[in-house]
Amino acid sequence: MEYQFSTIEKKWQEAWKSKKAYQVSNESSKPKCYVLDMFPYPSGAGLHVGHPLGYIASDIYSRFKRLKGFNVLHPMGYDAFGLPAEQYAIEHGVHPAKSTHGNIDNFRKQLDNIGFSYDWEREVRTCDATYYKWTQWIFLQLFNSYYDRVAQKAMPIAELIAVFEKEGNVHQVCPGDANINFSAADWKGYSEKEQQTILMHYRLAFCGYGEVNWCEALGTVLANDEVINGFSERGGHPVEKKKLRQWYLRITEYADRLLSGLETIQFSDAMKEMQSNWIGKSYGAEIDFAVNGHDASLRVYTTRPDTVFGVDFMVVAPEHALIESITPASHKASVEAYIAYVKSRSERERIAEKKISGCFTGAYVVNPFNQQLIPIWISEYVLAGYGTGAIMAVPCGDDRDFKFAQHFNIPITNIIGDAFDGKEANPTKEAKLTNSDFLNGVIQKDAIAIVNDKIEAMGIGKRKVNYRMRDAAFSRQRYWGEPFPIKWIDGVAYPLSENELPLLLPDVDHYGPGPEGEGPLANIESWKAENYETNTMPGYAGSSWYFLRYMDPSNTTEFCSRKVSDYWGQVDLYIGGTEHAVGHLLYSRMWTKALYDLGYIGFDEPFKKLLNQGMIQGSSRFVYRKRGTHTFVSAGLVGAHEVDQLHVDVNMVDGVELDTAAFKKWKPDYANADFILEDGKYVCGVEVEKMSKSKFNTVNPDDLVQKYGADTFRMYEMFLGPVEQSKPWDTKGIEGVHRFIKKFWRMFFDEMKGKVWVDEAPTTEELKILHKTIKKIEEDTERYSFNTAISAFMICINELYDAGCHKKAILEQVLILITPYAPHFSEELWSAIGNTGLIVDAAYPIFDPQYVLETAKEYPVSINGKVRSNISIALDASEEQVREIVLSNPAVQKWVEDKPVKKLIFVKGKMINIVI
RNA sequence: GCGGAUGUGGCGAAAUUGGCAGACGCACUAGACUUAGGAUCUAGCGCCGCGAGGCGUGUGGGUUCGACCCCCUCCAUCCGCACCA
């Protein structure tokens, strides 16, 4: 009986399906476990070997937990709204729904090949109306809520209205505009529109205005990624900043809870650090500087008020509202030219720019502490969206300010004495202040509070907590997304009522943008006639709550029943890439908190444990064509020729050696290619890049599954290295894993002899091998160390092989252990040795320490830290006994000679070190 | 620019809490079996050295009886930076 994986795998996949082996119930006496993958965007390129890395890991963990007696929820679905489908529609006229469904079918086929234990009855697709009905519903909850800063939670907006009617907003500072103040009488006197405008400043989902990268020629908004040096990546058209009406989520109100919540969840320290850096909480002060000769003041935000005597210039963002009114005629032209330049720059380029640029406005502010005039500059590195859009520059203490001052020859005031050497800024807080009037001699960090007290007493500023995070832009001028359940009447946004949901995404004739920066929906007469919002929601809307829908996917009356979400609770293990560190993982945390505040769910963090899978990179191969010819030069000989470097399909290259025959057949262009070989071979160039179809470096899992089987593929992906680690894909080593599986098979059935497994009682030696393995596999799986678990399987089988063990009692237990890793293989052998039920429902072996007890240990003995000998000593030997045994050992004596032993270190069960 | 991660044989990696560096596998070498081998089995395999031994975890330093592991410096590579998902 041979190991015929393709027959076996098909057979068991069908058996699992017909027996509904992976259907999971919302009611069970077993403990629950929720294991979740970040669901994929179904791209047209299909699955490559990078995708299943995390899916295999989560599948192993799910199956492991199931064997250990848990009721495991392990679902899968599709993040199906998004730009690529829309782009494809624009180019090919295919409705995004159609291409998306085709892509999903393809993904599903590919996923099924690998033998996952998903409960497909729970599949969700964010683009289905039955799903996005509830995305719209949650949006309405956010729209109809505000964040109560006293209670520190979201509350229904109706309660806020009741408060306004009673006392105005004296106790409810307006988060959207702190200058809005009104009494109960004021409120009652406002028109409907005025009231709605005020409420909009409180809502958790609100409408406002924001700047975007606008490309007039494409009539569309672009991501920073799509803008290169002021031009669109696609087509090379000019791009500039434009203010558009936008929806936002008031995630900043949750900043503190998003920070403190990190302490309650198991994310890696790196992930937590990235999130808190993104939130960027800082303690500082806002200070007003009067503008010289104007009845205006410039408000800056600073974390270093102690340096106020070292301010040599101000820098304001080019978008700052004050610039126009304070710039004197003499400087108008240069200021406007600079602003025009910055308009073409994406935010990313502005922050990342190493070259210093800026422009003097010709205006000055007055330092309120010493009345000195301070010039006001504008520069692109100051962003309008952060703080007040203006900073006070202290060159002796801030690197960026220092370089700016040097570049523009602005004199530098030293306020930290010797701590500043004139060559480099020193951002210390420990220096004693000089040139600082009443602060002279004070340590900087102590001066912060003194200055803060003073500015508050003088009424020119106040302490301020600031966040780097901005409210999340929540609208897109696109077609393929959830429509907003909003109608605009007389400039006021009115929510649809719950029974009008879902508001279906209508069909359009063409997918291009609407007029005036509006989305494609603005092109539909009937849509406009109903006054519906023409923007759609962004990609992250549907993905911010999908983990809840899996729990109760076919509920038609609720997004998820409270009873069900109480049962499943938090996701116990969430697996996905770090690229979602600050997007999806913050948004979904915020949505969870809001739903919790409003009482719809009982937990306020969605993911108890996050495991980040590393990115599988592609290892690209290149050929070198002599310019203007059909001659290809081997990589080692390129030097002498003028060549173009071209990507070549990695599947035609064995290591670095090109299959020249396959290459000639690859593209008509290459049919009559000549090659200049080295050592008779054509050697390709190698580079590690992102895996992508256009780089011809993708490897399709289907091919590997076909050649080696799903079980080998699953184990090989895990055997590559730690799941968390990024690495370039290399198919080479898969043979080793395949050999292991075949060897394991031969423990049961031999090609020549047929059945070789026997029904005999195991020896203690065999039991020791088994129990050592049980312990190792269980521990490694529990800590997601799948690569070491697989090597433990290999060791186990090697040892059983060497021991000549073919005993069912042992092998059967190892089969259960390996089920999460190689489920088809295990099912087949499980039934072949006479079991009736499915192995996926077997009971996990229980480790018994009595089989692995040791009485002695081979201690490594080192002398001055270098291992010189190994001595076997009883584990229960006392330190004195050990000392005696070791020092009388001839090998040790040879090294110690007559030198006195200064110290002997004995770590029980570990090692012995002699210091001489 | 800012933030995060990673760096160990020819290659993927292991070393779980500061305690024998290189488990397990790939590739390679030699041999066995064989009509055949891209099957299987046996043995070898960090570097230098005949050997004794010495050296060795990106660089340079530090802490320690002892450092791949902790601290500092520098270098290289990868990922993210708000409308790609």
Side-chain angles (χ1 to χ4, degrees), chain A residues 98-170:
Chain A
K98 197 176 168 208
S99 58
T100 300
H101 286 148
N103 293 348
I104 286 176
D105 290 344
N106 185 37
F107 262 63
R108 176 62 191 275
K109 260 214 308 265
Q110 290 190 286
L111 288 170
D112 282 350
N113 274 338
I114 302 171
F116 292 121
S117 61
Y118 295 124
D119 178 358
W120 283 106
E121 307 256 313
R122 293 173 183 263
E123 178 193 306
V124 302
R125 303 178 179 194
T126 55
C127 66
D128 280 0
T130 51
Y131 182 88
Y132 71 68
K133 168 180 178 174
W134 299 107
T135 308
Q136 292 173 333
W137 181 85
I138 295 172
F139 169 83
L140 288 183
Q141 308 314 306
L142 296 171
F143 179 82
N144 286 320
S145 304
Y146 75 106
Y147 196 82
D148 190 301
R149 290 184 180 181
V150 180
Q152 278 290 303
K153 61 181 276 204
M155 310 250 271
I157 202 106
E159 293 186 25
L160 184 67
I161 295 170
V163 170
F164 287 169
E165 283 169 354
K166 215 170 97 199
E167 56 173 40
N169 75 339
V170 282

Side-chain angles (χ1 to χ4, degrees), chain A residues 225-417:
Chain A
D225 268 353
E226 301 172 301
V227 184
I228 297 164
N229 293 322
F231 293 90
S232 65
E233 187 184 32
R234 236 171 335 115
H237 309 291
V239 175
E240 62 167 37
K241 283 275 145 58
K242 181 172 179 167
K243 264 204 166 173
L244 284 183
R245 184 176 62 73
Q246 299 283 355
W247 286 91
Y248 293 90
L249 299 182
R250 214 179 287 285
I251 193 171
T252 48
E253 290 296 304
Y254 279 95
D256 268 326
R257 280 171 64 190
L258 289 169
L259 271 179
S260 59
L262 288 174
E263 288 162 26
T264 69
I265 50 183
Q266 301 160 45
F267 286 19
S268 67
D269 289 343
M271 180 62 57
K272 289 182 180 181
E273 207 162 328
M274 279 189 269
Q275 291 214 345
S276 38
N277 287 342
W278 180 265
I279 294 166
K281 184 174 188 175
S282 67
Y283 299 88
E286 284 183 352
I287 308 177
D288 291 334
F289 287 75
V291 180
N292 192 41
H294 289 265
D295 184 19
S297 64
L298 179 66
R299 175 168 295 180
V300 301
Y301 173 74
T302 179
T303 56
R304 299 297 303 273
D306 55 300
T307 61
V308 73
F309 287 97
V311 179
D312 290 317
F313 56 100
M314 302 298 222
V315 187
V316 303
E319 297 85 357
H320 201 283
L322 213 52
I323 293 172
E324 208 190 329
S325 60
I326 62 170
T327 304
S330 56
H331 288 75
K332 275 263 186 306
S334 56
V335 166
E336 274 165 18
Y338 186 73
I339 290 172
Y341 155 75
V342 174
K343 260 200 145 180
S344 73
R345 308 265 292 160
S346 77
E347 197 170 281
R348 177 99 51 86
E349 290 171 324
R350 284 174 56 174
I351 310 171
E353 185 58 81
K354 284 186 217 171
K355 212 175 70 217
I356 294 157
S357 77
C359 178
F360 177 44
T361 60
Y364 295 82
V365 294
V366 182
N367 188 326
F369 292 101
N370 59 11
Q371 314 313 314
Q372 276 190 8
L373 288 184
I374 302 171
I376 304 173
W377 287 69
I378 56 177
S379 178
E380 62 177 333
Y381 76 84
V382 175
L383 301 177
Y386 180 69
T388 60
I391 62 161
M392 53 182 230
V394 182
C396 71
D398 181 278
D399 192 48
R400 195 141 212 184
D401 297 347
F402 181 80
K403 291 193 173 120
F404 194 90
Q406 271 197 324
H407 187 261
F408 289 108
N409 280 318
I410 302 169
I412 296 170
T413 307
N414 180 13
I415 54 161
I416 48 175

Side-chain angles (χ1 to χ4, degrees), chain A residues 542-555:
Chain A
S543 62
S544 291
W545 72 282
Y546 73 111
F547 45 91
L548 295 169
R549 188 64 182 174
Y550 282 139
M551 297 175 181
D552 199 5
S554 42
N555 194 329

